[in-house]
Amino acid sequence: MDLFIPSSKKLTAIFSPESDLNIPGDKSLSHRTALFSALASGESRITNFLDSGVTQVMLNSLSSLGVQWKFVDNILTVRGKGLYGFQTPVNSLYCGHSATTIRLMAGALAASGIAVTLDGSEGLRKRPMDRIVEPLRQLGVKISTAEQGTAPLVIQVRPAGQKLKGGLIELKQASAQVKTCILLAGLAAEETITIHEPGPSRDHTERLLKAMGADLQAEGLQVRLNPLEKDLLPLKMRLPGDISSAAFLIVAALITPNSEIIIEEVGLNPRRTGLLDVLQTMGADMQVTVTGENGGEPVGSVKVCSSELQGCMVEGDLVVRMIDEFPVFAVAAAFAKGETVVRDAQELRYKESDRIQVLCSELQKIGVDITEMEDGFVIQGSEYISGGTAESKGDHRLAMSLAVAGLASQNGVNIRGADMVSQSFPAFFEMLNRMGVEI
Ligand code: S3P
């Protein structure tokens, strides 16, 4: 689907769970709460669960494993099966475009001990799975991949009564998907498992598993988990709005003149708020207020007004704390004064697309001065970005970032493959419309 986003003069809106203008529930927490609830005993109830392409494949996979769930009015209820209660599915589990589904599922299935094949879309089959396969093998899981270390993943049945091994796992990447996969497998280990990661990846799993009664300690870059002795407790939780979805609207308001938006009840977990920190150092007129906690997750509001931004440098741990936000951050940098440099961001090459390469190719098409580096990119900001036609390249976050760029461009942006937004934020264009964009 092609969609044209015109240049806009003003955006205003208040996003709040009390109105019908609400930021959809957090994607990472939606995946985790659905899967962890299935592994618990008793009935869980998750409010503001994200209704999108990637969460639907997680729910479909749970159905194939014999899990009963209901999803009505954004409330998900799940009847837990316990750690060892999954049924062996008839066919392979189809994980669509969702790396979170395949990687988290692999950990849960390794714990459960059943035989299963995990597969996905052509795009998902290109994403690296060796990062979960190596540590899972270290724990004693019998798992194989396609030749390139990619999906399909085939997990063999574990003999009844046999546990997985524990020990120290050193992760090569700061990846919450990998960390979560190993922690889920570790629930069925015979001894303590300790994970050390090279950077501060998101810690939703640690917070949730603790809240569900797991014996887990997290300190700095290390997590220790003892084998599960009693079933995980069910969850009753309202999910915060997804800060990674809100990020598009925040940057839209910053770079479109005369704009002001308020976003309430959005997730403000410090391991997810790198973009907000960077935008503030760039001069963004933005107030971020933590108002409370839900299910162990900090929640609050963000108020943003149009601002003149200055270029900056992003590197090190900050990259990990804003790993999903680089496409829209690049758009903010494109409209900032001066140079912006992103380094240490090699991981971007392994996302829904090679995000360094496609960001450069597609932003150049609409007039952005961006140069590719091996581990990042350099942008020379400008007030005048012409606009034009560019492609989403099958990447939901690139589609939304191009739309945001269109708002502050001279002639608007025509997005090829705009329908990809349905993967994580189906109502995105409708929300822009409600903020005053004439789509
Ligand atoms: C996610 C972790 C991140 C992120 C993805 C969701 C998660 O991936 O990019 O959108 O829910 O754990 P990595 O952990 O591989 O960096």
Side-chain angles (χ1 to χ4, degrees), residues 27-28 32 100 103 131 174-177 202 323-324 351 397:
K27 173 168 87 72
S28 290
R32 284 163 175 75
T100 313
R103 295 193 177 123
R131 51 182 60 197
S175 161
Q177 291 179 353
R202 60 193 69 187
I323 192 68
D324 285 340
K351 294 293 174 189
R397 297 198 201 278

Side-chain angles (χ1 to χ4, degrees), residues 280-395:
Q280 278 175 330
T281 65
M282 292 171 85
D285 179 356
M286 180 162 68
Q287 281 130 46
V288 181
T289 316
V290 176
T291 52
E293 235 190 49
N294 203 339
E297 290 285 340
V299 175
S301 64
V302 180
K303 180 176 176 208
V304 196
C305 298
S306 319
S307 306
E308 267 202 15
L309 300 174
Q310 295 288 334
C312 69
M313 162 77 92
V314 177
E315 60 189 337
D317 284 353
L318 187 53
V319 170
V320 183
R321 293 180 50 243
M322 57 183 285
I323 192 68
D324 285 340
E325 277 60 80
F326 283 96
V328 77
F329 169 70
V331 172
F335 288 93
K337 273 206 178 122
E339 184 173 87
T340 292
V341 179
V342 172
R343 291 201 305 224
D344 303 330
Q346 188 91 16
E347 268 298 302
L348 294 178
R349 296 200 181 271
Y350 308 106
K351 294 293 174 189
E352 284 82 334
S353 60
D354 174 343
R355 278 196 179 143
I356 296 182
Q357 194 254 314
V358 300
L359 252 180
C360 293
S361 72
E362 300 317 296
L363 289 184
Q364 280 166 5
K365 285 183 191 165
I366 61 167
V368 176
D369 182 347
I370 178 169
T371 311
E372 182 171 348
M373 296 194 296
E374 193 44 39
D375 67 343
F377 49 85
V378 180
I379 291 179
Q380 306 298 336
S382 163
E383 255 175 89
Y384 301 101
I385 304 290
S386 59
T389 293
E391 289 173 40
S392 72
K393 299 283 181 184
D395 186 333

Side-chain angles (χ1 to χ4, degrees), residues 247-283:
F248 299 101
L249 308 176
I250 290 171
V251 173
L254 282 174
I255 64 173
T256 307
N258 312 308
S259 299
E260 178 177 314
I261 65 167
I262 298 173
I263 300 176
E264 291 172 353
E265 297 261 350
V266 68
L268 292 175
N269 180 317
R271 293 200 179 188
R272 297 281 302 279
T273 48
L275 177 76
L276 303 184
D277 295 349
V278 178
L279 291 173
Q280 278 175 330
T281 65
M282 292 171 85

